[in-house]
Amino acid sequence: MTLSPDQASRFQRVFTDVVDNMGLALLGKDRVVRLAVTCLLAEGHLLLEDLPGTGKTMLARALANSVEGSHARIQFTPDLLPTDVTGVTVYDQHKGTFDFHEGPIFHDIVLADEINRASPKTQSALLEVMEEGHVTVDGTTHDVPRPFMVIATQNPIEQAGTYQLPEAQLDRFLMKTSVGHPGAEATEQLLMDAGVRDRATLVKPVLSRADVADLAAAAADVHVDRSLIRYVRELAEASREADQVKLGLSARGCLALIRVTKVWAAAAGRTAVVPQDIHDLAHPVLCHRMLLDAHAQYGGVHVDAVIDRLLRDVPPPRDRA
């Protein structure tokens, strides 16, 4: 089934309402907010990497507050245990049975704050639930609620006492982006509103859990022409053969790009994906999935420059707008 024009128009209206609602907490960050909402409706997970004090946690809380579901924040620290995330089985002496006590991961939107501060063992506790939608504790599988989204944050400049996320876990995140410092006008507005200690409290729910599921299902019906499928494949193949690249785009990365472009197209009120959608989302989808070789890293080459080169060298289909 293909998304109808009326459905696309409604999708655009609702998407814009959510973005505007989150804009109450994050001034002047329209693109970053749109990426976060896109990630939610594409049923993926988001990694925010930026300098301290730029609003990473605020973005996550604003998105959580926009959805009429449950949300939790996990502050990752070196002493955090996997069971502190997933939950633990406890023996009840009165009943004579083992009862499972759910951890904070059993919420619709989970903020994993400063994820790179936890040990690799604790980080790995997120792998199963991010990929499969359930956790296994003491041999028993427990499903997490739907919708389910992990928003993880990390600071790139604080390296002491941190553990770099492995490529296998980075690939679980649908997109990676940064918030950045606000512009001049937004900064002055923030300073004028200094009396508002927590701007996330200004954000009220505008979507129910059912709405999120309906919008995600609608986005899945957006049409993707075969020529664009071929274009994504060619980008992936070119990334694997590109100079300075050690690890190119995987099949999972190609699927991720298709999924987010469907939401992006519907958010623009369109029933089909166009090449510009792929260009708009190439950086947040590919930047954490492509690994540069040692020579390029030591030479100061940035992965964004390599992605720009790929988009220039691989021509998009000419028969699509």
Side-chain angles (χ1 to χ4, degrees):
M1 182 181 296
T2 302
L3 193 70
S4 69
D6 288 342
Q7 290 174 315
S9 180
R10 177 185 176 276
F11 191 107
Q12 183 182 26
R13 289 196 304 271
V14 176
F15 189 96
T16 302
D17 288 343
V18 179
V19 171
D20 292 343
N21 188 53
M22 291 177 61
L24 297 173
L26 284 102
L27 302 178
K29 293 298 177 183
D30 184 75
R31 174 171 168 80
V32 176
V33 170
R34 293 178 70 85
L35 289 176
V37 179
T38 297
C39 195
L40 171 67
L41 299 182
E43 300 181 300
H45 310 289
L46 179 65
L47 178 61
L48 299 172
E49 182 178 84
D50 211 333
L51 302 172
T54 52
K56 300 185 298 298
T57 303
M58 186 67 68
L59 173 63
R61 293 180 58 211
L63 180 59
N65 289 349
S66 294
V67 179
E68 199 175 38
S70 62
H71 60 272
R73 173 178 176 176
I74 308 173
Q75 184 64 50
F76 277 66
T77 56
D79 61 346
L80 192 73
L81 299 175
T83 51
D84 294 329
V85 176
T86 60
V88 63
T89 302
V90 179
Y91 181 71
D92 189 324
Q93 293 184 345
H94 298 287
K95 297 180 180 179
T97 59
F98 288 93
D99 296 330
F100 177 65
H101 292 234
E102 295 181 348
I105 200 66
F106 286 86
H107 289 270
D108 295 297
I109 297 180
V110 179
L111 170 59
D113 213 3
E114 296 185 309
I115 187 175
N116 55 334
R117 289 199 174 279
S119 67
K121 184 176 183 180
T122 302
Q123 291 177 6
S124 67
L126 288 174
L127 285 176
E128 179 185 12
V129 67
M130 289 174 65
E131 185 69 16
E132 306 293 341
H134 58 243
V135 298
T136 303
V137 179
D138 295 332
T140 303
T141 299
H142 307 273
D143 293 327
V144 296
R146 294 290 183 183
F148 174 71
M149 179 181 182
V150 172
I151 305 176
T153 72
Q154 62 179 11
N155 298 327
I157 64 171
E158 297 182 8
Q159 299 303 323
T162 62
Y163 303 86
Q164 183 176 359
L165 295 176
E167 288 76 14
Q169 183 157 332
L170 284 172
D171 203 26
R172 261 65 176 185
F173 289 98
L174 187 63
M175 290 193 287
K176 175 186 175 184
T177 189
S178 60
V179 180
H181 292 294
E185 184 177 349
T187 300
E188 292 180 6
Q189 185 62 49
L190 285 171
L191 297 178
M192 290 178 63
D193 297 339
V196 181
R197 301 296 297 269
D198 186 1
R199 298 191 67 88
T201 59
L202 302 176
V203 179
K204 305 301 180 184
V206 294
L207 281 182
S208 67
R209 297 172 67 181
D211 290 333
V212 174
D214 290 343
L215 291 170
D221 291 334
V222 172
H223 177 69
V224 183
D225 191 78
R226 184 61 179 263
S227 62
L228 292 177
I229 298 291
R230 187 179 305 112
Y231 179 47
V232 171
R233 173 185 61 79
E234 291 172 350
L235 283 173
E237 292 173 348
S239 73
R240 299 166 196 159
E241 301 170 358
D243 295 336
Q244 304 175 320
V245 175
K246 179 180 179 181
L247 179 66
L249 185 61
S250 66
R252 181 186 295 166
C254 294
L255 288 170
L257 189 54
I258 293 297
R259 285 167 56 194
V260 296
T261 53
K262 285 187 172 187
V263 177
W264 200 255
R270 286 185 274 104
T271 61
V273 174
V274 297
Q276 187 59 47
D277 296 327
I278 296 174
H279 281 237
D280 288 343
L281 298 172
H283 285 274
V285 174
L286 306 186
C287 66
H288 59 295
R289 290 184 164 90
M290 292 177 57
L291 181 63
L292 303 184
D293 59 32
H295 182 74
Q297 292 182 44
Y298 288 121
V301 177
H302 199 279
V303 68
D304 285 332
V306 178
I307 295 173
D308 286 334
R309 190 176 68 210
L310 284 173
L311 295 175
R312 288 195 305 266
D313 294 346
V314 181
R318 296 182 178 275
D319 58 338
R320 300 298 301 173

Short mmCIF file of all heavy atoms in Angstrom, two decimals, residues 167-202:
data_model
loop_
_atom_site.label_atom_id
_atom_site.label_comp_id
_atom_site.label_asym_id
_atom_site.label_seq_id
_atom_site.Cartn_x
_atom_site.Cartn_y
_atom_site.Cartn_z
N GLU A 167 32.19 -0.41 17.27
CA GLU A 167 31.45 -0.26 16.01
C GLU A 167 30.14 -1.04 16.02
O GLU A 167 29.13 -0.60 15.47
CB GLU A 167 32.31 -0.72 14.82
CG GLU A 167 33.45 0.22 14.46
CD GLU A 167 34.62 0.13 15.43
OE1 GLU A 167 34.66 -0.84 16.23
OE2 GLU A 167 35.49 1.02 15.42
N ALA A 168 30.13 -2.23 16.65
CA ALA A 168 28.91 -3.05 16.68
C ALA A 168 27.78 -2.33 17.39
O ALA A 168 26.61 -2.45 17.00
CB ALA A 168 29.21 -4.38 17.37
N GLN A 169 28.11 -1.57 18.43
CA GLN A 169 27.05 -0.86 19.15
C GLN A 169 26.69 0.43 18.45
O GLN A 169 25.52 0.83 18.43
CB GLN A 169 27.48 -0.55 20.59
CG GLN A 169 26.39 0.13 21.40
CD GLN A 169 26.56 -0.06 22.89
OE1 GLN A 169 27.13 -1.05 23.33
NE2 GLN A 169 26.07 0.88 23.66
N LEU A 170 27.67 1.11 17.84
CA LEU A 170 27.36 2.33 17.09
C LEU A 170 26.36 2.05 15.97
O LEU A 170 25.50 2.86 15.68
CB LEU A 170 28.65 2.91 16.51
CG LEU A 170 29.58 3.65 17.48
CD1 LEU A 170 30.89 3.99 16.78
CD2 LEU A 170 28.92 4.91 18.02
N ASP A 171 26.48 0.87 15.36
CA ASP A 171 25.62 0.52 14.24
C ASP A 171 24.17 0.33 14.68
O ASP A 171 23.26 0.35 13.85
CB ASP A 171 26.14 -0.76 13.58
CG ASP A 171 25.67 -0.89 12.14
OD1 ASP A 171 25.39 0.16 11.52
OD2 ASP A 171 25.58 -2.02 11.64
N ARG A 172 23.94 0.14 15.98
CA ARG A 172 22.57 -0.01 16.49
C ARG A 172 21.83 1.32 16.50
O ARG A 172 20.60 1.33 16.57
CB ARG A 172 22.60 -0.58 17.90
CG ARG A 172 22.34 -2.08 18.00
CD ARG A 172 23.41 -2.89 17.36
NE ARG A 172 23.20 -4.33 17.56
CZ ARG A 172 24.06 -5.25 17.18
NH1 ARG A 172 25.18 -4.90 16.58
NH2 ARG A 172 23.82 -6.53 17.37
N PHE A 173 22.57 2.41 16.47
CA PHE A 173 21.92 3.72 16.45
C PHE A 173 21.54 4.08 15.03
O PHE A 173 22.37 4.04 14.12
CB PHE A 173 22.85 4.78 17.04
CG PHE A 173 23.04 4.67 18.53
CD1 PHE A 173 24.15 4.03 19.05
CD2 PHE A 173 22.09 5.17 19.40
CE1 PHE A 173 24.33 3.92 20.42
CE2 PHE A 173 22.26 5.06 20.77
CZ PHE A 173 23.38 4.43 21.28
N LEU A 174 20.30 4.43 14.83
CA LEU A 174 19.81 4.77 13.50
C LEU A 174 20.49 6.02 12.97
O LEU A 174 20.88 6.09 11.80
CB LEU A 174 18.29 4.97 13.53
CG LEU A 174 17.59 5.16 12.19
CD1 LEU A 174 17.75 3.92 11.33
CD2 LEU A 174 16.11 5.46 12.41
N MET A 175 20.67 7.03 13.86
CA MET A 175 21.30 8.28 13.46
C MET A 175 22.19 8.80 14.57
O MET A 175 21.99 8.49 15.74
CB MET A 175 20.25 9.34 13.10
CG MET A 175 19.49 9.06 11.82
SD MET A 175 18.55 10.51 11.24
CE MET A 175 17.22 10.55 12.44
N LYS A 176 23.15 9.59 14.17
CA LYS A 176 24.02 10.30 15.12
C LYS A 176 24.08 11.76 14.69
O LYS A 176 24.26 12.07 13.51
CB LYS A 176 25.43 9.70 15.12
CG LYS A 176 26.42 10.47 15.99
CD LYS A 176 27.82 9.91 15.83
CE LYS A 176 28.84 10.73 16.59
NZ LYS A 176 30.24 10.23 16.36
N THR A 177 23.93 12.66 15.65
CA THR A 177 23.98 14.07 15.33
C THR A 177 24.49 14.84 16.54
O THR A 177 24.77 14.26 17.58
CB THR A 177 22.60 14.60 14.89
OG1 THR A 177 22.72 15.93 14.40
CG2 THR A 177 21.61 14.58 16.05
N SER A 178 24.62 16.14 16.38
CA SER A 178 25.03 17.02 17.48
C SER A 178 24.08 18.21 17.51
O SER A 178 23.48 18.56 16.50
CB SER A 178 26.47 17.48 17.30
OG SER A 178 26.63 18.19 16.08
N VAL A 179 23.97 18.82 18.68
CA VAL A 179 23.07 19.95 18.84
C VAL A 179 23.75 21.25 18.46
O VAL A 179 23.21 22.06 17.71
CB VAL A 179 22.54 20.02 20.30
CG1 VAL A 179 21.60 21.21 20.47
CG2 VAL A 179 21.84 18.72 20.67
N GLY A 180 24.96 21.46 18.96
CA GLY A 180 25.69 22.69 18.65
C GLY A 180 25.24 23.85 19.51
O GLY A 180 24.16 23.84 20.10
N HIS A 181 26.08 24.86 19.57
CA HIS A 181 25.72 26.05 20.34
C HIS A 181 24.60 26.83 19.64
O HIS A 181 24.53 26.85 18.40
CB HIS A 181 26.95 26.96 20.50
CG HIS A 181 28.03 26.37 21.36
ND1 HIS A 181 27.85 26.15 22.70
CD2 HIS A 181 29.28 25.94 21.07
CE1 HIS A 181 28.95 25.62 23.21
NE2 HIS A 181 29.83 25.47 22.24
N PRO A 182 23.72 27.45 20.40
CA PRO A 182 22.64 28.23 19.78
C PRO A 182 23.18 29.47 19.08
O PRO A 182 24.26 29.97 19.41
CB PRO A 182 21.75 28.61 20.98
CG PRO A 182 22.67 28.57 22.16
CD PRO A 182 23.66 27.48 21.87
N GLY A 183 22.41 29.97 18.11
CA GLY A 183 22.79 31.19 17.41
C GLY A 183 22.63 32.40 18.30
O GLY A 183 22.17 32.32 19.44
N ALA A 184 22.99 33.56 17.75
CA ALA A 184 22.98 34.79 18.54
C ALA A 184 21.59 35.12 19.07
O ALA A 184 21.41 35.42 20.26
CB ALA A 184 23.51 35.95 17.68
N GLU A 185 20.58 35.06 18.19
CA GLU A 185 19.22 35.41 18.61
C GLU A 185 18.70 34.43 19.66
O GLU A 185 18.08 34.84 20.66
CB GLU A 185 18.29 35.43 17.40
CG GLU A 185 16.87 35.87 17.72
CD GLU A 185 15.99 35.94 16.48
OE1 GLU A 185 16.54 35.86 15.36
OE2 GLU A 185 14.76 36.07 16.64
N ALA A 186 18.94 33.11 19.43
CA ALA A 186 18.47 32.11 20.38
C ALA A 186 19.18 32.24 21.72
O ALA A 186 18.57 32.06 22.79
CB ALA A 186 18.68 30.70 19.81
N THR A 187 20.48 32.56 21.68
CA THR A 187 21.23 32.74 22.93
C THR A 187 20.67 33.90 23.74
O THR A 187 20.49 33.80 24.97
CB THR A 187 22.72 32.98 22.63
OG1 THR A 187 23.25 31.85 21.93
CG2 THR A 187 23.51 33.19 23.92
N GLU A 188 20.39 35.01 23.08
CA GLU A 188 19.84 36.17 23.79
C GLU A 188 18.46 35.86 24.37
O GLU A 188 18.14 36.30 25.48
CB GLU A 188 19.77 37.37 22.84
CG GLU A 188 21.14 37.90 22.44
CD GLU A 188 21.03 39.10 21.51
OE1 GLU A 188 19.90 39.56 21.27
OE2 GLU A 188 22.08 39.55 21.02
N GLN A 189 17.66 35.07 23.63
CA GLN A 189 16.34 34.70 24.14
C GLN A 189 16.47 33.81 25.37
O GLN A 189 15.73 33.96 26.34
CB GLN A 189 15.55 33.98 23.06
CG GLN A 189 14.11 33.65 23.45
CD GLN A 189 13.29 34.91 23.72
OE1 GLN A 189 13.29 35.84 22.93
NE2 GLN A 189 12.61 34.94 24.86
N LEU A 190 17.44 32.88 25.33
CA LEU A 190 17.68 32.02 26.49
C LEU A 190 18.08 32.84 27.72
O LEU A 190 17.62 32.59 28.84
CB LEU A 190 18.78 31.00 26.18
CG LEU A 190 18.40 29.83 25.28
CD1 LEU A 190 19.64 29.04 24.88
CD2 LEU A 190 17.41 28.90 25.98
N LEU A 191 18.93 33.84 27.49
CA LEU A 191 19.37 34.68 28.60
C LEU A 191 18.24 35.54 29.15
O LEU A 191 18.16 35.78 30.36
CB LEU A 191 20.54 35.55 28.15
CG LEU A 191 21.82 34.80 27.72
CD1 LEU A 191 22.87 35.77 27.24
CD2 LEU A 191 22.35 33.95 28.86
N MET A 192 17.36 35.99 28.25
CA MET A 192 16.21 36.77 28.71
C MET A 192 15.26 35.92 29.54
O MET A 192 14.58 36.42 30.45
CB MET A 192 15.48 37.38 27.51
CG MET A 192 16.26 38.48 26.80
SD MET A 192 15.37 39.12 25.36
CE MET A 192 13.90 39.81 26.14
N ASP A 193 15.20 34.62 29.21
CA ASP A 193 14.32 33.70 29.93
C ASP A 193 15.08 32.94 31.01
O ASP A 193 14.77 31.79 31.33
CB ASP A 193 13.69 32.70 28.96
CG ASP A 193 12.81 33.36 27.93
OD1 ASP A 193 12.36 34.50 28.18
OD2 ASP A 193 12.59 32.76 26.85
N ALA A 194 16.10 33.57 31.57
CA ALA A 194 16.95 32.88 32.55
C ALA A 194 16.16 32.41 33.77
O ALA A 194 16.59 31.50 34.49
CB ALA A 194 18.09 33.81 33.00
N GLY A 195 15.02 33.00 34.01
CA GLY A 195 14.20 32.59 35.14
C GLY A 195 13.58 31.22 34.95
O GLY A 195 13.16 30.58 35.92
N VAL A 196 13.53 30.73 33.70
CA VAL A 196 13.00 29.39 33.43
C VAL A 196 14.14 28.40 33.63
O VAL A 196 15.03 28.27 32.78
CB VAL A 196 12.44 29.29 31.99
CG1 VAL A 196 11.87 27.90 31.74
CG2 VAL A 196 11.38 30.36 31.76
N ARG A 197 14.15 27.71 34.75
CA ARG A 197 15.26 26.83 35.09
C ARG A 197 15.28 25.56 34.24
O ARG A 197 16.33 25.00 33.98
CB ARG A 197 15.19 26.46 36.57
CG ARG A 197 15.25 27.64 37.52
CD ARG A 197 16.57 28.36 37.40
NE ARG A 197 17.67 27.52 37.79
CZ ARG A 197 18.16 27.44 39.01
NH1 ARG A 197 17.63 28.16 39.98
NH2 ARG A 197 19.18 26.64 39.28
N ASP A 198 14.12 25.09 33.83
CA ASP A 198 14.03 23.84 33.08
C ASP A 198 13.06 24.03 31.92
O ASP A 198 11.85 23.95 32.09
CB ASP A 198 13.57 22.71 34.00
CG ASP A 198 13.60 21.35 33.31
OD1 ASP A 198 13.99 21.29 32.12
OD2 ASP A 198 13.23 20.35 33.95
N ARG A 199 13.59 24.29 30.74
CA ARG A 199 12.74 24.56 29.58
C ARG A 199 11.99 23.31 29.12
O ARG A 199 10.98 23.42 28.42
CB ARG A 199 13.57 25.13 28.42
CG ARG A 199 14.25 26.46 28.73
CD ARG A 199 14.82 27.10 27.45
NE ARG A 199 13.77 27.49 26.54
CZ ARG A 199 13.16 28.67 26.55
NH1 ARG A 199 13.50 29.57 27.45
NH2 ARG A 199 12.22 28.95 25.68
N ALA A 200 12.46 22.14 29.48
CA ALA A 200 11.77 20.91 29.06
C ALA A 200 10.38 20.83 29.68
O ALA A 200 9.49 20.16 29.14
CB ALA A 200 12.59 19.69 29.44
N THR A 201 10.17 21.50 30.81
CA THR A 201 8.85 21.48 31.44
C THR A 201 7.82 22.26 30.63
O THR A 201 6.61 22.13 30.86
CB THR A 201 8.92 22.07 32.86
OG1 THR A 201 9.41 23.43 32.80
CG2 THR A 201 9.85 21.25 33.74
N LEU A 202 8.29 23.08 29.68
CA LEU A 202 7.38 23.82 28.82
C LEU A 202 6.76 22.92 27.75
O LEU A 202 5.78 23.29 27.11
CB LEU A 202 8.12 24.98 28.13
CG LEU A 202 8.80 26.01 29.04
CD1 LEU A 202 9.57 27.02 28.20
CD2 LEU A 202 7.77 26.71 29.91
#
